[in-house]
């Protein structure tokens, strides 16, 4: 359980709480492999669901907060799914109380690749494969009950699963994946993905969460 006197170990927004400018965003288009901090508990085995983005966007890196760019459907869909008790606004940084609430609920957030880009398709195939393999290695330490990767195209490339579809995955096809940890692939929540709106994503998040109880 996450203690009530939670103190975040994540770095504050590099911009000190202000909105990024175009110039700011350009500065974060670099090769830093750890552009943002994860949302993870100190001890292993405390997560029900580990949400895995593909990689940070430039706005996300600029404020050091996951899925932070205005227009991203992640936080609205998570709230509509009932997984947060209010609509989180991470556009200027992730508040410590919001981080604590996520962890108390058993929800963690990380990325396949740590380098920030304007679009996920700027990553090369080897970056995705290396990130996918790294995630598998980390699961022995983090030990969530379920992993939800947000982005089918990058998942296919990273895990060499060209025929994979959205939904629950057969983890026996992934070398080294712990058999006790379920795996789902969910749609990319970026505003650029017009195929899935907030209600669609909320339904999917709710389904993944409810599957943990099965």
């Amino acid at each position: 359980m996450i203690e009530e006197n939670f103190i975040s170990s994540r770095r504050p927004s590099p911009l000190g709480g202000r909105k990024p400018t175009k110039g700011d965003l350009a500065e974060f288009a670099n090769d830093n492999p750890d552009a943002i901090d994860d949302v993870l508990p100190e001890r292993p085995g405390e997560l029900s669901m580990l949400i895995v983005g593909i990689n940070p966007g430039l706005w996300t890196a600029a404020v050091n907060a996951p899925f932070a760019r205005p227009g991203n459907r992640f936080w609205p869909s998570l709230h509509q799914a009932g997984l947060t008790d209010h609509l989180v606004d991470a556009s200027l940084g992730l508040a410590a109380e919001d981080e604590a609430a996520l962890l108390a609920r058993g929800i963690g957030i990380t990325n396949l690749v740590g380098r920030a880009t304007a679009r996920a398709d700027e990553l090369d195939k080897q970056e995705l494969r290396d990130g996918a393999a790294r995630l598998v290695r980390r699961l022995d330490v983090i030990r969530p009950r379920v992993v939800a990767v947000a982005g089918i195209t990058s998942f296919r490339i990273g895990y060499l699963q060209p025929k994979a579809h959205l939904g629950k995955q057969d983890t026996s096809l992934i070398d080294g994946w712990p058999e006790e940890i379920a795996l789902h692939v969910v749609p990319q929540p970026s505003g650029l993905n017009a195929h899935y709106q907030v209600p669609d994503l909320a339904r999917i998040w709710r389904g993944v969460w409810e599957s943990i109880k099965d």
Side-chain angles (χ1 to χ4, degrees), residues 6-14 34-42 56 60-68 75 88 90 92-100 102-103 107-111:
F6 174 81
I7 299 176
S8 177
S9 61
R10 301 177 74 255
R11 296 166 294 175
S13 167
D34 299 300
I36 71 167
D37 294 327
D38 293 331
V39 176
L40 291 174
E42 292 184 2
T60 283
V63 301
N64 189 31
F67 301 99
W75 294 110
V88 172
L92 302 181
L94 183 64
E97 54 267 31
D98 289 330
E99 180 187 359
L102 285 168
L103 294 175
I107 298 172
I109 305 175
T110 188
N111 289 283

Side-chain angles (χ1 to χ4, degrees), residues 37 94 107 121 140 145 159 177 184 207:
D37 294 327
L94 183 64
I107 298 172
D121 59 13
D140 284 333
R145 296 183 64 186
Y159 286 104
W177 192 279
H184 292 249

Side-chain angles (χ1 to χ4, degrees), residues 6 17 23 32 35 47 58 66 69 100 104 113 115 132-133 137 150 155 164 170 180 182-183 188 199 205:
F6 174 81
N32 181 1
L47 289 184
L58 299 183
R69 189 177 185 89
V113 177
R115 182 172 73 91
R137 293 192 298 270
F155 174 84
D170 180 357
E180 70 276 10
L183 171 62
Q188 166 63 255
W205 285 125

